Amino acid sequence: MLAGLFDNVPLMIMLVGALVGIASSLVGTFLVLRGNSMLSDAIGHAIVFGIVIVWLLTHQQSGPVQLVGAALTGLLTVVLTELLVRTRRVKQDAAIGLVFPVLFSIGVLLLNLYARDVHIDTHTVLLGEIGFVWLDTLTLGDVRVPRALLSMGAMTLLNAAFVGLFYKELKLATFDETLARALGLAPGVLFYGLLLLTSGTAVAAFDAVGAVLFVAFVIVPPATAYLLTDRLWLMFGYGTLVSIAASVSGYYLAVAWNVSIGGMMAVMTGVLLMLAFLAGPRYGLVAQWLRRRGQRRLNEIRTLAVHLYNHEGSPAQHEENVTRALREHLLWDEAKANRVVERSCERRLIVRAGEALSLTPAGRDLAREILEPGRRGERAGGR
């Protein structure tokens, strides 16, 4: 049964894609919250340099040595970026844009000069091919397990352990670095540890989805989660769900349309981000429009209540507290005036008798709540 599970090619592809997304979003969440999302792009490109250097020194194309080399390259990228920023000649985004193209171009040149006959090329590192992960396997007992599944599973567990062990410290260092430093924490060390794991995740992922697509997984699921919640622990949950949904839907759509599987998975993360942007329960455009419409309707009802209250019991009540007066004095057209009156009646704030409008006790209380602060100010001024 276990062997049949690992021989299920579609399942292995989707599982590797989901693990890439989960491992990436665990570290990417903090990068997004810190405003350092583009560091993942820099690391994703700069690891080419680290991979080539490690191969030139050890002639190893994979394994822990490659992970260490790529992690150190990621740190080198950050250190060089910070050195440029400290000169105060360039800002951080410009520094990132200067550093990683240099490291990436050097890596590409070294690949073309010294590794032409080796299974390390720019296409493999940048784009990968998740559709072939089931071909590269390791034998564990009597079961052949995809190597990418093991490496991404290990990185997912490692990232989850890091986040779990240092959750409070990472949270404090992300939202209030000054306080974290005052409490004796080391936010800089935590940040570099986070970047080490980001670099390691990029190397583990490049065989499956490539360094470029890794950037989509490390940024888009956390960004999508950020649109859905303000709670950090929920961001991890939503990021995980987005990664799984993008992997599953991306695979089936890629098969149906005969396109790149990894590319379609990355596209689906963008589709889910767009859905969150449009239909998110709190920050989505639809939710914001509904809140604005609800507030506008509430303001219209309040305006009507105040208007009726101001003329209640006055000699002009029979002329002012009628539907016709709303069109004349509040500049509402007939349709709008009727809508506001109907909503007010549904809320039992007013009573309508033909054209005449009168407040209920609840409507009168609403008008007093609105007018009371001003009246208090007038009484205080009179004294």
Side-chain angles (χ1 to χ4, degrees):
M1 182 180 296
L2 191 60
L5 185 67
F6 288 111
D7 287 338
N8 188 327
V9 175
L11 178 61
M12 291 299 101
I13 294 173
M14 289 185 285
L15 188 55
V16 169
L19 288 175
V20 170
I22 295 170
S24 301
S25 63
L26 284 172
V27 293
T29 296
F30 293 104
L31 295 179
V32 169
L33 291 174
R34 290 174 61 97
N36 297 129
S37 300
M38 291 310 297
L39 278 178
S40 62
D41 187 26
I43 291 172
H45 285 77
I47 61 170
V48 177
F49 174 78
I51 290 171
V52 177
I53 294 298
V54 169
W55 179 82
L56 290 174
L57 295 176
T58 66
H59 291 281
Q60 294 187 25
Q61 300 177 35
S62 61
V65 178
Q66 283 285 8
L67 289 174
V68 173
L72 293 177
T73 304
L75 289 183
L76 176 63
T77 303
V78 177
V79 169
L80 293 177
T81 300
E82 290 185 350
L83 289 176
L84 284 176
V85 172
R86 288 176 183 176
T87 64
R88 298 184 180 178
R89 300 293 181 88
V90 294
K91 294 184 178 180
Q92 186 180 44
D93 55 349
I96 293 173
L98 290 170
V99 171
F100 87 77
V102 172
L103 295 178
F104 175 64
S105 60
I106 293 174
V108 172
L109 286 174
L110 291 175
L111 277 174
N112 285 279
L113 288 174
Y114 301 107
R116 291 183 179 179
D117 300 326
V118 181
H119 182 59
I120 301 177
D121 55 43
T122 53
H123 183 275
T124 299
V125 174
L126 294 180
L127 302 179
E129 182 45 72
I130 195 171
F132 296 148
V133 295
W134 58 278
L135 294 174
D136 185 12
T137 61
L138 289 175
T139 302
L140 299 178
D142 296 328
V143 180
R144 298 180 64 84
V145 183
R147 191 188 301 269
L149 184 65
L150 293 175
S151 60
M152 289 314 308
M155 285 307 308
T156 302
L157 291 175
L158 183 60
N159 292 352
F162 179 79
V163 172
L165 287 173
F166 301 104
Y167 177 79
K168 294 181 179 179
E169 292 80 359
L170 286 167
K171 183 178 180 180
L172 185 58
T174 298
F175 293 107
D176 197 335
E177 186 174 346
T178 303
L179 178 59
R181 190 175 291 107
L183 292 176
L185 302 178
V189 174
L190 288 173
F191 182 54
Y192 279 114
L194 191 69
L195 294 177
L196 277 170
L197 292 176
T198 303
S199 301
T201 305
V203 176
F206 85 82
D207 269 335
V209 299
V212 172
L213 298 181
F214 155 78
V215 175
F217 285 108
V218 82
I219 294 176
V220 183
T224 305
Y226 186 67
L227 293 174
L228 298 175
T229 182
D230 290 329
R231 295 182 179 274
L232 180 58
W233 66 272
L234 272 179
M235 283 189 67
F236 294 122
Y238 284 132
T240 297
L241 292 177
V242 169
S243 300
I244 295 172
S247 298
V248 174
S249 59
Y251 171 79
Y252 284 111
L253 288 175
V255 172
W257 295 341
N258 193 26
V259 295
S260 168
I261 297 174
M264 184 53 67
M265 288 180 177
V267 168
M268 289 310 299
T269 62
V271 171
L272 293 172
L273 174 65
M274 184 59 65
L275 289 176
F277 180 71
L278 293 175
R282 183 168 182 180
Y283 299 111
L285 292 182
V286 175
Q288 292 181 13
W289 177 78
L290 290 174
R291 281 196 297 272
R292 287 195 297 268
R293 187 182 69 168
Q295 187 62 46
R296 184 171 62 251
R297 289 182 174 182
L298 179 60
N299 289 338
E300 292 169 351
I301 291 173
R302 289 175 173 175
T303 300
L304 175 59
V306 170
H307 174 80
L308 298 179
Y309 185 80
N310 283 335
H311 296 286
E312 192 175 51
S314 68
Q317 176 177 351
H318 298 293
E319 296 179 2
E320 296 291 344
N321 290 3
V322 293
T323 307
R324 181 179 63 257
L326 304 180
R327 300 193 294 269
E328 296 174 358
H329 298 288
L330 299 181
L331 303 179
W332 291 349
D333 57 45
E334 183 177 358
K336 181 176 181 178
N338 288 329
R339 285 198 305 269
V340 177
V341 169
E342 288 176 4
R343 294 191 193 107
S344 300
C345 290
E346 290 173 358
R347 296 191 178 198
R348 298 182 180 179
L349 297 175
I350 69 171
V351 176
R352 182 176 186 175
E355 283 285 312
L357 305 174
S358 58
L359 289 169
T360 65
R364 199 169 292 111
D365 290 339
L366 174 63
R368 289 195 184 107
E369 289 177 5
I370 298 171
L371 296 173
E372 190 64 25
R375 294 192 172 189
R376 286 179 180 174
E378 289 177 4
R379 287 198 296 269
R383 292 176 184 173

